[in-house]
Amino acid sequence: MAGSAAYAGSVHLADELRARGVRVTQPRQLVWDVLSDHGGHLSAAEVAQRVQARDRGVNQSSVYRALALFAELDLVRESRTGNDSATTWELSHPDGVIHLVCDVCGTVLHHRTNRVEQLRSDLAANATFTATAIDVHVTGRCPTCAG
Amino acid sequence: MAGSAAYAGSVHLADELRARGVRVTQPRQLVWDVLSDHGGHLSAAEVAQRVQARDRGVNQSSVYRALALFAELDLVRESRTGNDSATTWELSHPDGVIHLVCDVCGTVLHHRTNRVEQLRSDLAANATFTATAIDVHVTGRCPTCAG
DNA sequence: CTACTTGCAAATTGTTTGCAGACCT
DNA sequence: AGGTCTGCAAACAATTTGCAAGTAG
């Protein structure tokens, strides 16, 4: 649960898992590959679909279990991005990267800001709350859809 | 969908609804009362339970429908706060109020910060994205649960 | 009046679980 | 070998929907 994992974008899954005494398996590897290759947000169903495109025999539950495991290890992050019901998943970000979700086309842009770190220090100074994770979620219009 | 509603805390529901040509009904009024009286986050199920404590005959679906309606009118906000599966609801906040969710006891604190407005101007300046709503979600430990 | 809302019960959807067999290490 | 994972199918929980009857304006 600690934020100690290396930036997930550069992680070699097998090493990371073995280092933590967790087994490396085909379903887990495929879930990881799909998320890295895609680079953005995917729902569990989308991940499953893409995984199954590569190996027909992998079951949905294994995808869910792999995602939950990776989240536990801080390798991926669950984010309730959509107006939709399904939650989405992507590789963990370094701190300070936030999500800009377009209301119109639905794409999710990433944006680096130091406001997150500033907020973190504000809170630390106040001693009102010990922040672990800070999640910023902006909705609006992307450059393409603004008009 | 615009952020034009008055601060929900001071809204008189009947007026607000009538002004928009939406009918004022018992279920809607009760859902509103429950949320105002409670002042914080409630799941749909909790709202339903409290509504039914006041009027036995109100159905869950009406609660869901009222919440969806109010969200549409920007009077309440849906927030996927919990580690739990259910989404929670509360009256809309003025901009710049963020949520601090304690990992341990689950309570949700509210915190006023100007970092949100700063971020908003940053984005406006960049012209990378036209922000409508900015949602900040902090997890960590509240004063009581910090060790 | 009459279109908008509700209550009800059944249908969906997303996610989780129990278990016997398969597979990393 | 031995405990960790997986596939499968069934269980669950939250939310949504269709429709006849009720009610606000």
Side-chain angles (χ1 to χ4, degrees):
Chain A
M1 201 142 254
S4 54
Y7 172 30
S10 59
V11 164
H12 186 285
L13 183 70
D15 297 345
E16 192 66 31
L17 293 186
R18 264 191 286 264
R20 313 216 198 181
V22 175
R23 293 192 179 165
V24 183
T25 65
Q26 175 81 341
R28 288 174 179 170
Q29 185 66 58
L30 288 175
V31 167
W32 183 258
D33 292 347
V34 162
L35 284 176
S36 327
D37 291 355
H38 177 258
H41 294 252
L42 291 173
S43 68
E46 288 168 329
V47 173
Q49 175 185 303
R50 288 167 192 237
V51 164
Q52 287 167 348
R54 303 188 187 193
D55 178 340
R56 202 83 206 40
V58 177
N59 192 276
Q60 289 239 70
S61 350
S62 305
V63 171
Y64 276 101
R65 289 191 269 226
L67 290 171
L69 172 68
F70 294 163
E72 190 70 27
L73 301 178
D74 269 324
L75 296 172
V76 307
R77 174 185 279 230
E78 180 176 8
S79 89
R80 280 101 192 284
T81 267
N83 347 34
D84 305 322
S85 35
T87 62
T88 59
W89 304 80
E90 66 171 348
L91 300 192
S92 303
H93 289 314
D95 212 35
V97 172
I98 65 174
H99 291 147
L100 312 178
V101 184
C102 180
D103 286 333
V104 180
C105 64
T107 24
V108 181
L109 302 174
H110 291 101
H111 178 83
R112 175 82 184 75
T113 175
N114 54 332
R115 297 301 180 191
V116 172
E117 284 128 60
Q118 293 175 336
L119 175 59
R120 187 183 292 277
S121 349
D122 294 349
L123 291 171
N126 271 12
T128 38
F129 196 87
T130 315
T132 308
I134 300 184
D135 228 332
V136 178
H137 182 262
V138 181
T139 54
R141 306 216 161 185
C142 69
T144 317
C145 296
Chain B
M1 199 139 255
S4 54
Y7 172 31
S10 58
V11 163
H12 186 280
L13 184 69
D15 297 344
E16 191 67 31
L17 293 186
R18 265 191 285 264
R20 314 215 198 181
V22 176
R23 293 188 181 168
V24 183
T25 65
Q26 174 82 340
R28 286 173 180 170
Q29 185 66 58
L30 288 174
V31 166
W32 184 257
D33 293 347
V34 163
L35 283 176
S36 325
D37 292 355
H38 177 258
H41 294 250
L42 290 173
S43 68
E46 288 167 330
V47 173
Q49 175 186 302
R50 287 165 192 239
V51 164
Q52 288 168 347
R54 303 187 186 194
D55 178 340
R56 204 81 208 40
V58 177
N59 193 275
Q60 287 240 74
S61 351
S62 305
V63 172
Y64 276 102
R65 288 190 270 224
L67 290 172
L69 172 69
F70 294 162
E72 189 70 26
L73 301 178
D74 270 323
L75 296 173
V76 307
R77 175 186 279 229
E78 179 177 8
S79 88
R80 282 98 191 286
T81 265
N83 348 30
D84 305 322
S85 34
T87 62
T88 60
W89 303 78
E90 66 171 351
L91 301 192
S92 303
H93 288 313
D95 212 33
V97 172
I98 66 173
H99 292 147
L100 311 178
V101 183
C102 180
D103 286 333
V104 180
C105 65
T107 23
V108 180
L109 303 174
H110 291 102
H111 178 83
R112 174 82 183 77
T113 174
N114 54 333
R115 298 300 180 192
V116 172
E117 285 128 60
Q118 293 174 336
L119 175 59
R120 188 183 292 277
S121 348
D122 294 349
L123 291 171
N126 272 10
T128 37
F129 197 86
T130 313
T132 308
I134 299 184
D135 227 334
V136 178
H137 183 261
V138 181
T139 56
R141 306 215 161 185
C142 69
T144 317
C145 296

